[in-house]
Amino acid sequence: HGLKTGDRINYLKGADANIGNITSTMDYFAIVYDKDTFSIADTRNLALNGAARNIGPSTGGDTGIFTLQLEKNQRTDLAERN
């Protein structure tokens, strides 16, 4: 995923699926565990302190695929690979 803890991300729900307990188009902040796994927090300070947001299962679709947008000028290399 290429994220670092504290990176601002923006969740955009897929065409059918929605992840429970987070809002599409809202900014969240990454808490990185390893190269494949991360959680999200409501603020950068919470992310830096490891306070992850409790999210629910995907609803309204069978994929659970979602898109994350990174804040402009912050790790844009990830956005360009999509």
Side-chain angles (χ1 to χ4, degrees), residues 46-65:
L46 288 172
L48 294 174
N49 286 299
R53 181 180 185 84
N54 185 20
I55 62 173
S58 296
T59 59
D62 60 356
T63 62
I65 295 172

Side-chain angles (χ1 to χ4, degrees), residues 26-65:
M26 292 294 295
D27 288 337
Y28 297 98
F29 296 82
I31 301 170
V32 175
Y33 301 111
D34 60 39
K35 68 179 185 69
D36 298 316
T37 310
F38 68 94
S39 290
I40 60 170
D42 291 334
T43 68
R44 185 171 191 277
N45 192 40
L46 288 172
L48 294 174
N49 286 299
R53 181 180 185 84
N54 185 20
I55 62 173
S58 296
T59 59
D62 60 356
T63 62
I65 295 172

Side-chain angles (χ1 to χ4, degrees), residues 1-24:
H1 52 70
L3 295 168
K4 292 188 302 187
T5 294
D7 280 354
R8 182 187 307 263
I9 55 179
N10 185 275
Y11 164 66
L12 299 172
K13 81 176 197 73
D16 297 319
N18 195 30
I19 297 175
N21 201 31
I22 62 174
T23 304
S24 185

